[in-house]
């Protein structure tokens, strides 16, 4: 088994607390199912939309990230799968697709 990270990007925020709770229940159920099947290595955490960006040889610090909202990484999960094809297939159950978001599936390189 290899490790893969799911990076959750974009998606519309719920319009009400009730919709937020329904959305959260979908996420909990999906992650629970992956965990029970032995695919979850680290459930990860949601990420705040604020932060800092450090770049260049001068290591200049600016507010950020300033990207389009559809590109902001909202969270991550570390999973185990036999290959990238299986990891991508497992991501298809993610609730983020219901709100217009996407899952970036990336292999974790062994060092």
């Amino acid at each position: 088994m290899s490790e893969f990270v799911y990076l959750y990007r974009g998606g519309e925020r719920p319009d009400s607390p009730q919709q937020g709770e329904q959305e959260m229940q979908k996420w909990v159920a999906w992650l629970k199912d992956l965990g029970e099947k032995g695919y979850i290595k680290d459930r990860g955490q949601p990420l705040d939309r604020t932060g800092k960006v450090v770049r260049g040889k001068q290591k200049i610090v600016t507010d950020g990230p300033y990207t389009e909202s559809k590109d902001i990484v909202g969270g991550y999960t570390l999973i185990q799968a036999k290959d990238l094809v299986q990891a991508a297939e497992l991501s298809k159950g993610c609730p983020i697709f219901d709100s217009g978001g996407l899952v970036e599936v990336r292999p974790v390189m062994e060092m």
Side-chain angles (χ1 to χ4, degrees), residues 6-105:
Y6 289 165
L7 298 173
Y8 306 113
R9 294 185 183 268
E12 299 297 319
R13 297 230 181 222
D15 291 331
S16 68
Q18 294 82 8
Q19 286 179 332
E21 181 61 33
Q22 291 172 347
E23 185 73 18
M24 185 57 67
Q25 288 175 3
K26 290 178 189 178
W27 278 88
V28 168
W30 177 62
L31 290 169
K32 181 180 177 188
D33 182 57
L34 287 177
E36 288 174 350
K37 293 177 179 173
Y39 294 116
I40 297 284
K41 178 96 177 185
D42 180 347
R43 289 175 57 119
Q45 296 293 331
L47 302 175
D48 195 281
R49 291 181 179 242
T50 62
K52 298 287 184 187
V53 175
V54 183
R55 68 173 49 139
K57 291 182 181 181
Q58 296 81 18
K59 299 169 188 75
I60 297 170
V61 179
T62 58
D63 288 335
Y66 289 120
T67 59
E68 291 188 47
S69 62
K70 67 181 177 62
D71 294 328
I72 291 176
V73 177
Y76 69 94
T77 301
L78 186 64
I79 67 152
Q80 298 180 119
K82 66 179 181 180
D83 56 26
L84 184 56
V85 172
Q86 183 185 33
E89 190 63 31
L90 292 169
S91 78
K92 291 181 179 179
C94 182
I96 201 166
F97 299 117
D98 296 338
S99 63
L102 63 91
V103 179
E104 183 176 335
V105 182

